[in-house]
Amino acid sequence: MTQTLALTGRDLFWPPADELTEAAERIRARLGDWPPTHAPWRICLTAPDEPNGGDLIVIADAQQHGEQVARWQVRGAGVIEAAQNRAALHLGGETYRLEGHLSEDWIAALAAFLDCGFDPHDALVLALAWRDGDETRANDAFPSDLSHFPRLGGLPGAPEPAFPSCPPRLGLYPVLPSGEWVERVAGFGVKTIQLRHKSAEPADELKREIALSVAAGRRHDAQVFINDHWQAALDAGAYGVHLGQEDVHTADLAALAAGGIRLGLSTHGFYEILRALHFRPSYIAVGAVFATTTKAIPTAPQGLKRLARYVRLLDGVVPLVAIGGIDLQVLPDVLATGVGGAAVVRAVTEASDPGAAVSALQHAFTQ
């Protein structure tokens, strides 16, 4: 049983609700050991007189509360609108819309997942994946049946046809800054590579880097993905494109799918995983697993425990790539989660001998 339980006596609900606290503690005891949360959220079943940034106020209809909802959010509180198998979280200027089952224990489950350190939008996803009595069926009752997870509302339709598949286990996946680097690493025998060319060079220079990378992939029979620059990648006939969450609303996904280009999507938690799955990508990247200095990440490091949960949930559904702060030292622990791909950056580009570094990293996948 987890040693981090401390729900009884905490300001967990408003107004105080012993039965809900007991149910939350019972659920929490079956979710495994997680570091104590640093954000002690309070779930409010009625609005407190002085809501603050630690409150999640549960209501049935936001329209009925009108100006109150706006005032609560100005004070930093979140608002959860829940009714008729739908839930929407309004927090920090964002709205997260979910459609799915609301069990009798969903509020207690929400409290338990918040205590595990999940951000409110991910905790709400997990609360809707919860089924009454799950805590009685296994010592580890953490949701792992994708069919129980909610759907996301308000998303545009997924492109038809779906994106082409890629190998189920992508293996070592270096993320490289230039076409020269792609050529070099492909020559070492690496079969999955990403060009992440971030400099503000003229368009013709960008096209040149992409063309060099695509040509290197074809020459060495490697799968080369282009980060962000989807139109240039499409024009160059690239194998694949890798996009961030924000890009799915601006990129022409239908054109990419029709062009036979593979799509990889970045995710940083359960909510974003569900959003990525909606678009039926070729693979999903999950992270950042560890702290990284190569890219600004909007969320805290996910860690190996969460990575293992993502693998368990999505095994056989879509290929996964772990990314963020991965080097040779931690790679065996990353692969022990069962993930089939691991992206690396500095472990190759800052190595004194990139060829030897690639060989050692490749070897870790065979152990």
Side-chain angles (χ1 to χ4, degrees), residues 76-106:
V79 178
I80 299 175
E81 188 179 5
Q84 298 179 342
N85 291 329
R86 294 194 308 272
L89 168 66
H90 309 275
L91 180 65
E94 300 287 339
T95 297
Y96 307 87
R97 300 189 184 280
L98 304 173
E99 301 171 359
H101 178 72
L102 286 171
S103 68
E104 289 187 7
D105 278 345
W106 78 270

Side-chain angles (χ1 to χ4, degrees), residues 146-159:
L146 189 59
S147 69
H148 288 177
F149 276 65
R151 300 173 303 280
L152 271 57
L155 295 178

Side-chain angles (χ1 to χ4, degrees), residues 11-17 20 42-52 54-60 65 68 72 77-80 107:
D11 190 15
L12 197 63
F13 298 101
W14 177 260
L20 273 176
R42 179 174 67 164
I43 301 173
C44 303
L45 308 181
T46 61
D49 292 336
E50 297 293 335
N52 59 53
D55 288 336
L56 297 173
I57 303 171
V58 180
I59 59 176
H65 292 78
Q68 281 184 308
W72 295 335
V79 178
I80 299 175
I107 292 178

Side-chain angles (χ1 to χ4, degrees), residues 34 118 122 126 142-143 267-271 273 284-289 302-315 318 320 337 339:
W34 296 88
F118 290 96
D122 284 332
L126 293 166
F142 201 96
T267 66
H268 308 92
F270 285 102
Y271 180 90
I273 284 173
I284 289 176
V286 289
V289 180
Q302 299 284 302
L304 293 171
K305 288 175 64 66
R306 295 195 188 195
L307 176 60
R309 294 297 178 180
Y310 303 147
V311 172
R312 183 177 175 185
L313 177 67
L314 298 175
D315 184 38
V318 64
L320 291 182
T337 67
V339 71

Side-chain angles (χ1 to χ4, degrees), residues 124-210:
L124 186 59
V125 165
L126 293 166
L128 266 67
W130 188 259
R131 296 296 182 269
D132 290 324
D134 275 358
E135 75 277 14
T136 67
R137 300 188 182 107
N139 286 334
D140 180 2
F142 201 96
S144 59
D145 185 340
L146 189 59
S147 69
H148 288 177
F149 276 65
R151 300 173 303 280
L152 271 57
L155 295 178
E160 293 286 351
F163 287 95
S165 62
C166 59
R169 302 184 73 82
L170 288 170
L172 180 66
Y173 188 171
V175 178
L176 305 170
S178 69
E180 181 181 357
W181 265 107
V182 172
E183 170 70 43
R184 187 179 185 186
V185 172
F188 297 149
V190 177
K191 294 304 180 184
T192 307
I193 298 171
Q194 181 184 136
L195 172 69
R196 185 195 284 168
H197 190 69
K198 293 294 187 180
S199 66
E201 292 179 344
D204 56 343
E205 286 297 318
L206 171 64
K207 290 179 180 179
R208 176 180 175 274
E209 294 293 341
I210 291 175

